[in-house]
Amino acid sequence: RDAKRERAALWALTGLYSNSPVFRQNFVAAEARRKQLKRPTPSLKVPQLLRRAPSASMLRRAAALRARAARGHARALSTTSAPALPDYNTSVNVKDIKLARPKPVARRRAADGTWQGLKDLRARLAAEGSLVGDTLGDMETDEDFQAASRNLKAHGQRKLTREEKKVRRRALDRLGVPDFPAYLAEHAASDAARTKTEVLQLNIGLYCNQACGHCHVESSPKRNEHMDERVADRCLEILANSPSVHTLDITGGAPELQPQFRRIVERARALRPDVDVIDRCNLTVLAEPDQEDLADFLAGHGVHVVASLPCYSDKNVNMQRGRGVFARSVEGLRRLNEVGYGAPDSPLKLDLVYNPLGAFLPPPQDALRAKYADELLEHFGVFFNELYTMTNMPIKRFADFLSRRGELEGYLELLVRNFNAGTAPSLMCRNTLSVNWDGRIYDCDFNQQLDLPLGGGGASVFDGTRTDAWLDQPISFDNHCFACTAGMGSS
């Protein structure tokens, strides 16, 4: 209780929340609600929170937080031009976020124990072997996975995807919200035009050593689809012939466990040494058997690692991503740090990605980055470069999660209520071509999973030899796209 009072007092000292328009707007609404319920207004006065005067060290820390926020604010949208985002106020203390338990609820089995510390971590993980066994065990005993599997066998993927789309449309109808393209045109004066392709994204396979509850790709150890050599070679040819492309974004599944991964990285470096090669890493793959040299391989080829870490605490990570994932994620970060990733003067970039645990928007990106940096360095001795916040996409496993909890309509309303017209010009679908493992082309990884092909047709990498071949294809928007324009977006 004393620690909570001290944290509250620290934030009160900084004035970061109480000085923001969003805080004031939400405070007024909360105060009206308190009066309606006849509840007292909580105090934000420091002496009352601490029951003593703030210490000199607390005053120094508050000053440091204010300075850090000011630096981050210079990189963010200005407060004078930013739109009103009434729900863009999630606390950076994401480890304290707890989801209300619906009745009834079927949820993933929790981890078999708590964080055991850094001592002998590498040896313990080596003795445990692959994460795949735990993942498969969870899938066999998890009611949600089993229900989804039965549904898939009974109806097929295409039918389920169509039904998912209808459910979103019916929910928006009840809210009185038009389809996303019409909403975008009305509220952001924006259309479906593409710009020159700058990012070539390759989903090279769906196999993964994890089966995360929020995975929009629905990856798991049971998925065997992967890109073959013929498709990979064509993608590399397109990369070589497309000077506008500055980023090769390799994703999955766990891309490092796909047969073409290292070959693609090596050839991309040889063909286009100027290109930023990104590996969308789940971190746990670095502790898998036969991947002991992965960190050295990535560093040796200058690969930019973008890694998913949905919290800095073991409980929340294991709840969302499966048993034992947090310990292996920390070990993955340590291995990357050991070869130079994330160090201030190193060219090896290690960025983290946060996505919320439930049906809410992520916290402000700069403030959350500072929180992650403090927590990970203090408790685990690891460091990184940037942190990016992503709004959860209401499709596939996360859509199922929301539906089971009766929260899908509320979440869609949240996305629409926090529509940010400023995100429209920089949506990733405008400058990205996303290639599926079988060579079909889409606007983004989300559209891949919903089978919404580029331009509404069946475009393939074998239809052209450079990205300009698809420049005139309109973007295939749909109602899940509200997630990419909510708050600070999901692009």
Side-chain angles (χ1 to χ4, degrees), residues 407-437:
E407 295 175 352
L408 178 60
E409 185 171 328
Y411 186 66
L412 289 171
E413 183 181 18
L414 172 83
L415 299 181
V416 175
R417 189 168 64 243
N418 290 273
F419 178 83
N420 182 353
T423 63
S426 57
L427 292 173
M428 63 181 171
C429 50
R430 298 203 184 276
N431 71 339
T432 299
L433 279 182
S434 184
V435 182
N436 198 12
W437 60 269

Coordinates of all heavy atoms in Angstrom, one line a residue, residues 407-437:
E407 N -17.3 -8.6 -25.3 CA -16.7 -7.3 -25.3 C -16.5 -6.8 -26.8 O -15.9 -5.7 -27.0 CB -15.4 -7.3 -24.6 CG -15.6 -7.5 -23.1 CD -14.3 -7.6 -22.3 OE1 -13.2 -7.7 -23.0 OE2 -14.3 -7.7 -21.1
L408 N -16.9 -7.6 -27.8 CA -16.5 -7.2 -29.1 C -17.1 -5.9 -29.6 O -16.5 -5.0 -30.1 CB -16.9 -8.3 -30.1 CG -16.7 -8.0 -31.6 CD1 -15.2 -7.8 -31.8 CD2 -17.2 -9.1 -32.5
E409 N -18.4 -5.7 -29.3 CA -19.1 -4.5 -29.7 C -18.5 -3.3 -28.9 O -18.3 -2.2 -29.5 CB -20.6 -4.6 -29.5 CG -21.4 -3.4 -29.9 CD -22.9 -3.6 -29.9 OE1 -23.4 -4.7 -30.1 OE2 -23.6 -2.6 -29.7
G410 N -18.3 -3.5 -27.7 CA -17.7 -2.4 -26.9 C -16.3 -2.0 -27.4 O -15.9 -0.8 -27.3
Y411 N -15.5 -3.0 -27.8 CA -14.2 -2.7 -28.3 C -14.2 -2.0 -29.6 O -13.5 -1.0 -29.8 CB -13.4 -4.0 -28.4 CG -12.0 -3.8 -28.8 CD1 -11.1 -3.2 -27.9 CD2 -11.5 -4.2 -30.1 CE1 -9.7 -3.0 -28.3 CE2 -10.1 -4.0 -30.4 CZ -9.3 -3.4 -29.5 OH -8.0 -3.2 -29.9
L412 N -15.2 -2.4 -30.5 CA -15.3 -1.6 -31.8 C -15.7 -0.2 -31.5 O -15.3 0.7 -32.2 CB -16.3 -2.4 -32.6 CG -15.9 -3.7 -33.3 CD1 -17.0 -4.4 -33.9 CD2 -14.7 -3.5 -34.3
E413 N -16.6 0.0 -30.5 CA -17.1 1.3 -30.2 C -15.9 2.2 -29.7 O -15.7 3.3 -30.0 CB -18.2 1.3 -29.1 CG -18.7 2.7 -28.8 CD -19.8 2.6 -27.7 OE1 -19.9 1.6 -27.0 OE2 -20.5 3.6 -27.6
L414 N -15.0 1.5 -28.9 CA -13.8 2.2 -28.4 C -12.9 2.6 -29.5 O -12.4 3.8 -29.5 CB -13.0 1.2 -27.5 CG -11.6 1.6 -27.0 CD1 -11.8 2.5 -25.8 CD2 -10.8 0.4 -26.7
L415 N -12.7 1.8 -30.5 CA -11.9 2.1 -31.7 C -12.5 3.3 -32.4 O -11.7 4.2 -32.8 CB -11.7 0.9 -32.6 CG -11.1 -0.4 -32.0 CD1 -11.0 -1.5 -33.0 CD2 -9.7 0.0 -31.4
V416 N -13.8 3.2 -32.7 CA -14.4 4.3 -33.4 C -14.4 5.6 -32.6 O -14.1 6.7 -33.2 CB -15.9 4.0 -33.8 CG1 -16.6 5.1 -34.5 CG2 -15.9 2.7 -34.7
R417 N -14.6 5.5 -31.3 CA -14.6 6.7 -30.5 C -13.3 7.4 -30.4 O -13.2 8.6 -30.2 CB -15.1 6.3 -29.1 CG -15.4 7.5 -28.1 CD -16.1 7.0 -26.9 NE -15.3 6.1 -26.1 CZ -15.6 4.9 -25.8 NH1 -16.7 4.4 -26.3 NH2 -14.8 4.1 -25.0
N418 N -12.2 6.6 -30.6 CA -10.9 7.2 -30.6 C -10.2 7.3 -32.0 O -9.0 7.2 -32.1 CB -10.0 6.3 -29.6 CG -10.4 6.5 -28.2 OD1 -10.0 7.4 -27.5 ND2 -11.3 5.6 -27.7
F419 N -11.1 7.4 -33.0 CA -10.6 7.6 -34.3 C -9.7 8.8 -34.4 O -10.0 9.9 -34.0 CB -11.7 7.7 -35.3 CG -11.3 8.0 -36.7 CD1 -11.0 6.9 -37.6 CD2 -11.2 9.2 -37.3 CE1 -10.6 7.1 -38.9 CE2 -10.9 9.5 -38.6 CZ -10.5 8.4 -39.4
N420 N -8.5 8.6 -35.0 CA -7.5 9.7 -35.1 C -7.2 10.0 -36.6 O -6.5 9.2 -37.3 CB -6.2 9.3 -34.4 CG -5.2 10.4 -34.4 OD1 -5.3 11.4 -35.1 ND2 -4.1 10.2 -33.7
A421 N -7.8 11.0 -37.1 CA -7.6 11.3 -38.6 C -6.1 11.5 -38.9 O -5.7 11.3 -40.1 CB -8.4 12.6 -38.9
G422 N -5.3 11.9 -38.0 CA -3.9 12.1 -38.2 C -3.1 10.8 -38.6 O -2.0 10.9 -39.2
T423 N -3.7 9.7 -38.3 CA -3.0 8.4 -38.7 C -3.3 8.0 -40.2 O -2.5 7.2 -40.7 CB -3.5 7.2 -37.8 OG1 -5.0 7.0 -38.0 CG2 -3.3 7.5 -36.3
A424 N -4.3 8.6 -40.8 CA -4.7 8.2 -42.1 C -3.6 8.3 -43.2 O -3.4 7.3 -44.0 CB -5.9 8.9 -42.6
P425 N -2.8 9.4 -43.2 CA -1.8 9.4 -44.3 C -0.7 8.4 -44.1 O 0.0 8.1 -45.1 CB -1.3 10.9 -44.2 CG -2.3 11.6 -43.4 CD -2.9 10.6 -42.5
S426 N -0.4 7.9 -42.9 CA 0.7 7.1 -42.7 C 0.3 5.6 -42.4 O 1.1 4.9 -41.8 CB 1.5 7.6 -41.5 OG 0.7 7.7 -40.3
L427 N -0.9 5.2 -42.7 CA -1.3 3.8 -42.6 C -0.3 2.9 -43.3 O 0.1 3.2 -44.5 CB -2.7 3.6 -43.1 CG -3.8 4.3 -42.3 CD1 -5.1 4.1 -43.0 CD2 -3.9 3.7 -40.9
M428 N 0.1 1.8 -42.7 CA 1.1 1.0 -43.3 C 0.7 0.4 -44.7 O 1.6 0.1 -45.5 CB 1.5 -0.1 -42.4 CG 0.4 -1.1 -42.0 SD 1.0 -2.4 -40.9 CE -0.5 -3.2 -40.5
C429 N -0.6 0.3 -44.9 CA -1.0 -0.3 -46.2 C -0.7 0.6 -47.3 O -0.8 0.2 -48.5 CB -2.5 -0.6 -46.1 SG -3.5 0.8 -45.5
R430 N -0.5 1.9 -47.1 CA -0.2 2.8 -48.2 C 1.1 2.6 -48.8 O 1.3 2.8 -50.1 CB -0.3 4.3 -47.7 CG -1.7 4.6 -47.1 CD -1.9 6.1 -47.2 NE -3.2 6.5 -46.6 CZ -4.4 6.4 -47.2 NH1 -4.4 6.0 -48.5 NH2 -5.5 6.8 -46.6
N431 N 2.1 2.2 -48.1 CA 3.5 2.0 -48.6 C 4.1 0.6 -48.5 O 5.3 0.4 -48.6 CB 4.4 3.1 -48.0 CG 4.8 2.7 -46.6 OD1 4.1 2.0 -45.9 ND2 5.9 3.3 -46.1
T432 N 3.2 -0.3 -48.2 CA 3.6 -1.7 -48.0 C 3.0 -2.7 -48.9 O 1.8 -2.6 -49.3 CB 3.2 -2.1 -46.5 OG1 3.9 -1.3 -45.6 CG2 3.6 -3.6 -46.2
L433 N 3.8 -3.7 -49.4 CA 3.3 -4.9 -50.0 C 3.6 -6.0 -49.1 O 4.7 -6.2 -48.7 CB 3.9 -5.1 -51.4 CG 3.4 -4.3 -52.6 CD1 4.2 -4.7 -53.8 CD2 1.9 -4.4 -52.8
S434 N 2.5 -6.8 -48.8 CA 2.7 -7.9 -47.8 C 2.5 -9.2 -48.6 O 1.4 -9.4 -49.2 CB 1.6 -7.8 -46.7 OG 1.8 -8.8 -45.7
V435 N 3.5 -10.1 -48.6 CA 3.4 -11.3 -49.3 C 3.2 -12.5 -48.4 O 3.9 -12.6 -47.4 CB 4.8 -11.5 -50.1 CG1 4.7 -12.8 -50.9 CG2 5.1 -10.3 -51.0
N436 N 2.2 -13.3 -48.7 CA 1.9 -14.5 -48.0 C 2.9 -15.6 -48.3 O 3.6 -15.5 -49.3 CB 0.5 -14.9 -48.3 CG -0.1 -15.9 -47.3 OD1 0.5 -16.1 -46.2 ND2 -1.2 -16.5 -47.6
W437 N 2.9 -16.6 -47.5 CA 3.9 -17.7 -47.6 C 3.7 -18.4 -49.0 O 4.7 -18.9 -49.5 CB 3.8 -18.7 -46.5 CG 2.4 -19.4 -46.5 CD1 1.3 -18.9 -45.7 CD2 1.9 -20.5 -47.2 NE1 0.2 -19.7 -45.9 CE2 0.6 -20.7 -46.8 CE3 2.5 -21.4 -48.1 CZ2 -0.2 -21.8 -47.3 CZ3 1.8 -22.4 -48.6 CH2 0.4 -22.6 -48.2

